[in-house]
Amino acid sequence: MSLPVRGPWVVTPTSSSVDWVVAAAALAATTGGSAAAVVLGGPSAVPAATRSPSVAAQPPDVTAQPPSVAAPAPDVTAQPPSVAALAPHVAAQSPDVTALASPVAALAPHVAALAELPAGTGLDAVAAVVRDLDAKHDRVVILVGDGVVTPTGGDWTVADLATAVRAPVIVVTGAGPDAVGHTLLALEALDRRKVPGSVIVVGDGGDFDALPVRLAGRIPAGHAAFAGDFAVAAAGWVDALDGSRPASEQPPVVTAARPRDLQTRVAIRAAWTLGIAFLLAIVLLCLCGGLRYPGSYT
């Protein structure tokens, strides 16, 4: 795998029917270091197919909190002014916090900190939370359930957020008949805004050769069967996320051959210099001859 080690990644689906939270969990699980997550809009932003059927009893440290909000972590209590108002939504997660509703349940085992921001949070406030977490963790996965250019409750888009925090966008799509078309529209919108984008497919099948970038990952439809060893399985699902082709597919780079011998290079330059001087001399002789005998041309 050639995943970038540090930095934020914005994850967004092509439609509400895509089981896209698993892609964000895979990105967090394959960090190779400390990962954090930011969820915009809470569980309501996640398609019903990906939510937990029910919310079980909470661990002792979050019993007094609503299911979507956990207790503040000690390492994020001293927030800058723009983040302080959102501090109650930031929590340090541990692998045993699995009873919370998705996407928290899917992300909790793989992140050291998780921030759930309510719908309608302004762009500057979201960017401040992302930067704060980015300074403390190797990767920050940002989940936004809206489309690439669909305005959120905070009157900003995924593309706006990606630009503000200098993050690429991971477009998560399914394998249905309309998946390629939806993905192409999302990538085109990102390209117009100069935002780098990559694609992860959740599901089996589908022909994605028409995409302008190669797939950054493929998560099988039966990914739930790997819940016991998700991190190991995710390492085989997620590939390079820079959108470039692998080395085996790169066209050969053709460079002009240059003589290694210094004397040879000097000789070639001297030959070119003499040739140019000879041509200039001929041109001057022709001009002088024409001026000396003007009558010969009449």
Side-chain angles (χ1 to χ4, degrees):
M1 301 298 105
S2 55
L3 288 168
V5 176
R6 292 194 58 87
W9 295 85
V10 180
V11 183
T12 186
T14 55
S15 69
S16 60
S17 62
V18 176
D19 186 7
W20 63 287
V21 176
V22 64
L27 291 177
T30 55
T31 299
S34 176
V38 177
V39 180
L40 272 298
S44 61
V46 182
T50 65
R51 299 179 191 169
S52 301
S54 61
V55 179
Q58 306 301 327
D61 59 339
V62 293
T63 51
Q65 302 292 338
S68 62
V69 181
D75 64 336
V76 293
T77 53
Q79 302 290 350
S82 59
V83 184
L86 301 171
H89 303 281
V90 181
Q93 303 297 329
S94 59
D96 62 343
V97 187
T98 56
L100 301 181
S102 184
V104 176
L107 293 169
H110 312 295
V111 298
L114 188 147
E116 287 187 86
L117 307 183
T121 304
L123 178 60
D124 292 340
V126 176
V129 172
V130 172
R131 295 190 187 101
D132 181 72
L133 292 174
D134 186 38
K136 302 172 183 177
H137 302 279
D138 295 299
R139 180 177 299 155
V140 181
V141 182
I142 311 163
L143 284 77
V144 186
D146 299 294
V148 170
V149 294
T150 302
T152 68
D155 197 26
W156 48 266
T157 67
V158 168
D160 295 333
L161 176 60
T163 301
V165 298
R166 298 181 180 273
V169 174
I170 309 302
V171 178
V172 185
T173 186
D178 298 328
V180 174
H182 293 164
T183 306
L184 284 172
L185 290 175
L187 292 176
E188 182 181 356
L190 290 173
D191 183 65
R192 288 199 303 267
R193 291 160 177 80
K194 309 298 182 183
V195 176
S198 294
V199 178
I200 293 179
V201 177
V202 179
D204 305 320
D207 184 3
F208 294 90
D209 291 340
L211 297 182
V213 297
R214 71 184 184 91
L215 293 184
R218 166 81 77 159
I219 300 177
H223 56 79
F226 298 90
D229 205 1
F230 183 82
V232 175
W237 299 337
V238 182
D239 206 340
L241 294 178
D242 57 2
S244 63
R245 296 182 178 274
S248 60
E249 298 180 11
Q250 292 284 4
V253 178
V254 179
T255 57
R258 296 185 62 186
R260 297 181 180 179
D261 188 357
L262 177 61
Q263 294 181 349
T264 303
R265 294 202 300 270
V266 171
I268 292 175
R269 289 184 179 181
W272 275 102
T273 302
L274 290 175
I276 294 173
F278 179 73
L279 291 175
L280 290 175
I282 293 178
V283 171
L284 289 174
L285 287 174
C286 293
L287 291 175
C288 292
L291 293 175
R292 182 176 300 177
Y293 305 104
S296 60
Y297 296 98
T298 59

